[in-house]
């Protein structure tokens, strides 16, 4: 199964949710929306697991990756009360994801711990470690000037 098919299979309900629609409105890193970033992290996570032949719960990996930044606000708003966003958004994402979806303990761990080592609690599961790594790789790629890195394209809408 190709990466996008895997993401569609395990994350269909998330991808079609109202919250993910909202993510399309928020710019996350430079030219990448929060929605696109979430798709990129899910894709990168699946690729890492497959290429490194790491046995994972693929459903938890995909769903946790899609929901890791499910904080549903524009963190760039100066008056939005989003100080310390890097430290606080995992908790907000977990709260929102828990309200909208039934989450497994692995999915919860992925969401709440994806900012390690900025946040101090290390991931518990290999899926959490993979998403944490994929998130860092994607963030660096998204923050580099466009001429230095060619991003895989994902729909903006």
């Amino acid at each position: 199964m190709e990466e996008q098919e895997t993401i569609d299979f395990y994350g269909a309900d998330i991808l079609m949710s109202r919250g993910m629609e909202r993510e399309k409105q928020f710019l996350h890193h430079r030219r990448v929306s929060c929605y696109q970033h979430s798709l990129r992290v899910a894709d990168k996570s699946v690729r890492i697991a497959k290429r490194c032949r790491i046995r994972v719960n693929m459903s938890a990996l995909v769903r946790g990756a899609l929901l890791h930044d499910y904080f549903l606000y524009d963190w760039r708003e100066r008056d939005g009360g989003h100080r310390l966003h890097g430290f606080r958004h995992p908790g907000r994402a977990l709260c929102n994801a828990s309200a909208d979806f039934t989450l497994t303990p692995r999915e919860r761990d992925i969401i709440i711990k994806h900012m390690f080592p900025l946040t101090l609690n290390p991931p518990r599961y290999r899926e959490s470690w993979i998403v944490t790594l994929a998130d860092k790789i994607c963030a660096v790629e998204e923050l580099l000037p466009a001429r230095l890195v060619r991003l895989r394209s994902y729909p903006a809408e």
Side-chain angles (χ1 to χ4, degrees):
M1 199 182 303
E2 291 296 317
E3 288 78 13
Q4 190 58 53
E5 291 172 339
T6 301
I7 293 166
D8 291 341
F9 181 78
Y10 291 111
D13 61 326
I14 295 169
L15 292 170
M16 296 184 328
S17 71
R18 215 176 297 155
M20 289 303 274
E21 277 299 311
R22 286 187 60 199
E23 278 196 354
K24 293 175 183 178
Q25 301 169 26
F26 307 127
L27 191 61
H28 195 50
H29 297 131
R30 283 197 179 196
R31 61 200 182 276
V32 177
S33 72
C34 196
Y35 176 83
Q36 291 168 314
H37 171 75
S38 297
L39 281 175
R40 293 189 75 251
V41 171
D43 179 82
K44 185 78 70 182
S45 297
V46 171
R47 287 174 184 277
I48 290 169
K50 286 182 177 181
R51 291 214 175 122
C52 295
R53 295 187 176 140
I54 302 170
R55 276 195 332 217
V56 296
N57 177 322
M58 194 58 74
S59 175
L61 181 75
V62 168
R63 295 173 67 77
L66 289 173
L67 294 169
H68 81 282
D69 278 341
Y70 198 69
F71 46 83
L72 305 178
Y73 59 79
D74 184 354
W75 66 271
R76 295 164 182 265
E77 286 180 0
R78 293 207 186 270
D79 61 348
H82 308 307
R83 288 187 64 237
L84 302 174
H85 168 77
F87 296 96
R88 294 181 178 161
H89 82 270
R92 184 75 175 270
L94 179 59
C95 182
N96 290 338
S98 296
D100 290 353
F101 307 98
T102 301
L103 302 175
T104 67
R106 256 173 234 273
E107 293 163 354
R108 296 175 68 80
D109 193 72
I110 291 167
I111 296 165
I112 198 68
K113 296 181 180 170
H114 80 274
M115 286 301 290
F116 180 80
L118 185 61
T119 55
L120 299 177
N121 289 333
R124 178 175 181 187
Y125 303 100
R126 63 182 73 129
E127 294 86 354
S128 306
W129 282 104
I130 292 168
V131 172
T132 298
L133 174 63
D135 183 46
K136 306 301 179 270
I137 293 169
C138 290
V140 168
E141 290 174 348
E142 292 162 7
L143 290 169
L144 287 173
R147 70 184 190 290
L148 295 179
V149 65
R150 188 169 158 210
L151 298 179
R152 290 178 60 102
S153 67
Y154 294 96
E157 23 184 293

